[in-house]
Amino acid sequence: MTYTDLFYEIKGKFMGADVSDIQEHLAFEFDIEDEEAGGAFYVEVKDGQLFVEPYEYYDRDAMFICTPEVLIKIADGEMDPVWAFTTQKLRVEGNIDKALRLNEIIQRKKKEMKKEEKAAKKEEKKEAKKESGKNAGK
């Protein structure tokens, strides 16, 4: 996996999270330690909007340092960032209180994804019911 692949995968996982009610400014830099996918990018919440960009962020609140695998698991909600930190899979520098807000953003995205999945399944059942009704009339 290259840095570009990793960046766009992570960006896709974060984008769409509803942060409209977060009015404080949050800026997180991610430093990825890997020979192929290594590099830095940032996630910023500003004026209730989420930005994910492939640059370093010098005026950040916190910096997260980890491998691509750990970051993907955290972004997918498969690994708790606090657990990753306590087991030293994730290093954090900067404002810990603000760093903990990252978990809030991930949990919001996870809830939204579950809601979307539920709606999609409901729609599938509705369509299947329609189809079985059409076939029963033949």
Side-chain angles (χ1 to χ4, degrees):
M1 174 181 286
T2 67
Y3 167 79
T4 304
D5 295 335
L6 176 67
F7 170 74
Y8 283 108
E9 181 175 345
I10 296 300
K11 183 173 184 168
K13 292 177 188 306
F14 278 109
M15 294 309 294
D18 181 13
V19 295
S20 60
D21 63 337
I22 299 176
Q23 293 307 309
E24 74 179 296
H25 181 260
L26 300 171
F28 307 117
E29 181 176 322
F30 292 85
D31 279 5
I32 309 307
E33 295 180 326
D34 188 76
E35 211 169 287
E36 289 180 38
F41 65 90
Y42 72 88
V43 174
E44 178 182 35
V45 177
K46 183 178 182 180
D47 300 324
Q49 291 186 298
L50 181 72
F51 302 93
V52 181
E53 299 298 334
Y55 310 109
E56 291 182 45
Y57 198 108
Y58 296 107
D59 194 21
R60 62 188 171 258
D61 296 309
M63 179 168 55
F64 300 95
I65 305 156
C66 63
T67 64
E69 297 78 20
V70 168
L71 182 57
I72 289 169
K73 286 180 181 179
I74 289 171
D76 282 340
E78 295 174 11
M79 183 183 289
D80 178 57
V82 176
W83 181 84
F85 175 74
T86 53
T87 59
Q88 299 179 351
K89 294 179 183 304
L90 174 69
R91 293 192 320 272
V92 180
E93 295 176 4
N95 185 322
I96 297 297
D97 290 332
K98 286 198 174 189
L100 289 168
R101 299 291 308 268
L102 176 67
N103 196 32
E104 180 184 331
I105 295 168
I106 292 168
Q107 293 307 317
R108 286 173 183 229
K109 180 64 179 173
K110 202 172 171 182
K111 278 183 186 176
E112 289 167 21
M113 287 175 65
K114 281 184 180 179
K115 217 184 269 186
E116 288 171 10
E117 286 174 15
K118 210 174 193 178
K121 284 181 182 179
K122 196 173 185 178
E123 189 61 34
E124 281 177 24
K125 283 182 181 179
K126 196 174 169 181
E127 289 297 317
K129 210 173 194 179
K130 238 189 235 181
E131 282 298 311
S132 66
K134 283 182 185 177
N135 291 337
K138 290 183 181 181

